[in-house]
Amino acid sequence: MANVIQRSSGGTVLVDQLPALIGVVVGAAASYAAQSMTESRRWRRQREERWDEKRFETYGRYGNVLKAQLRIAQRIGAAHGFSDVADPLEPAEGLPLLAEAESRRAAEWESVLLVGDAATIAAARRWHESVWTIELLVREGHAEIEAWSTAHRVASAARDDFYAHARRDLGIAGDPPPSGEWPRPWRAELSD
């Protein structure tokens, strides 16, 4: 009978400790869930930061190679007599450089397609197509001043649009600074 009383009192002890045991289990589960959610948020935030960094680098590289391509086309244009551009580059020397610059641009384009959002990709496409128009003018070897100036205004607006979309995609507040005017106002002032 003493054995039965011990078991009975041992059962009573277990029942008395059951709320504390349930509390420990619930606390451990809640702690695990909170830690898992925190780690998940941290992982997502770090992944977003990595992709933001990749997009920043990609957009920057793309802008730089396209600007270099445009600069070569402008220098060839200077050799054709467009006085708004300095540092002329003869077509025989410049056209191979222009083809090489287009190859670099096309390679960077693939990265833009991979990491860019739809609006930024569309803006990048408009920009490089406007640069192609300027290239076409220098490849043809002659163009009227108005066509040259219009092509540059279109390219400048497309560039501004690309940077506005890229900044929005990267979460950078505000608009990019305004671009310069084409043709340059100081050229007209010198002519007066």
Side-chain angles (χ1 to χ4, degrees):
M1 182 121 183
N3 246 348
V4 172
I5 293 175
Q6 279 183 333
R7 281 189 190 151
S8 176
S9 69
T12 303
V13 171
L14 183 60
V15 170
D16 289 342
Q17 293 179 352
L18 193 56
L21 184 58
I22 291 173
V24 168
V25 170
V26 168
S31 176
Y32 176 78
Q35 186 175 5
S36 293
M37 286 179 11
T38 300
E39 285 299 317
S40 179
R41 276 191 229 120
R42 182 180 311 152
W43 181 83
R44 279 194 304 273
R45 186 175 53 248
Q46 287 173 342
R47 183 185 66 184
E48 288 170 9
E49 288 171 1
R50 282 192 308 272
W51 277 112
D52 282 348
E53 188 175 315
K54 288 290 182 193
R55 278 195 305 274
F56 174 80
E57 290 169 3
T58 298
Y59 293 159
R61 277 193 318 269
Y62 189 75
N64 287 330
V65 298
L66 192 52
K67 186 71 175 185
Q69 184 175 350
L70 175 61
R71 181 71 183 125
I72 294 167
Q74 289 173 327
R75 290 181 63 203
I76 297 170
H80 288 306
F82 295 111
S83 60
D84 289 336
V85 181
D87 197 18
L89 181 63
E90 291 301 318
E93 184 183 348
L95 290 176
L97 295 175
L98 199 53
E100 186 179 312
E102 169 57 20
S103 293
R104 284 192 303 275
R105 187 220 51 88
E108 291 296 335
W109 175 242
E110 298 305 316
S111 295
V112 172
L113 290 173
L114 182 64
V115 302
D117 69 351
T120 305
I121 291 168
R125 180 175 283 119
R126 284 189 299 274
W127 185 20
H128 73 240
E129 288 174 351
S130 68
V131 170
W132 290 346
T133 300
I134 294 169
E135 283 189 32
L136 181 61
L137 294 174
V138 298
R139 288 181 187 282
E140 290 175 350
H142 64 283
E144 295 182 19
I145 294 292
E146 187 56 37
W148 181 255
S149 294
T150 298
H152 277 82
R153 278 193 298 274
V154 168
S156 183
R159 175 185 171 268
D160 291 348
D161 191 45
F162 167 74
Y163 282 113
H165 281 88
R167 289 168 63 97
R168 198 169 304 120
D169 186 31
L170 293 167
I172 299 171
D175 293 328
S179 63
E181 295 178 35
W182 190 271
R184 303 292 184 229
W186 58 266
R187 296 290 296 174
E189 291 170 5
L190 292 177
S191 300
D192 293 337

